[in-house]
Amino acid sequence: MTEQTNTAALATLTTELGRLGQIAETEGADMLVYLIALAEQEARDELAKREAKGSQGEVRRRG
């Protein structure tokens, strides 16, 4: 997989984790909600790092 494909998959995973968290919350599965929230935050953090890295790469190519 390319870096771009991996990033797109990570974005999809983040979205789906959010939806799964909502379902778990509706069902009253508190521990599952907590674990899903942790995974979702890690995915968001990784996406932010990749976006920042991508922005730096674009600046370097232009500069």
Side-chain angles (χ1 to χ4, degrees):
M1 280 193 195
T2 66
E3 184 73 21
Q4 188 175 17
T5 302
N6 288 339
T7 300
L10 188 57
T12 300
L13 175 64
T14 302
T15 300
E16 293 305 317
L17 282 168
R19 290 180 184 158
L20 185 58
Q22 289 174 346
I23 292 168
E25 190 172 2
T26 299
E27 294 299 318
D30 294 337
M31 187 58 152
L32 188 55
V33 169
Y34 174 74
L35 293 173
I36 291 169
L38 286 177
E40 185 180 5
Q41 188 58 53
E42 285 185 30
R44 287 186 192 284
D45 292 347
E46 181 63 27
L47 272 175
K49 282 186 352 189
R50 289 175 184 229
E51 288 173 0
K53 182 180 177 185
S55 296
Q56 291 173 357
E58 291 173 17
V59 171
R60 285 187 198 138
R61 279 186 235 129
R62 282 190 235 149

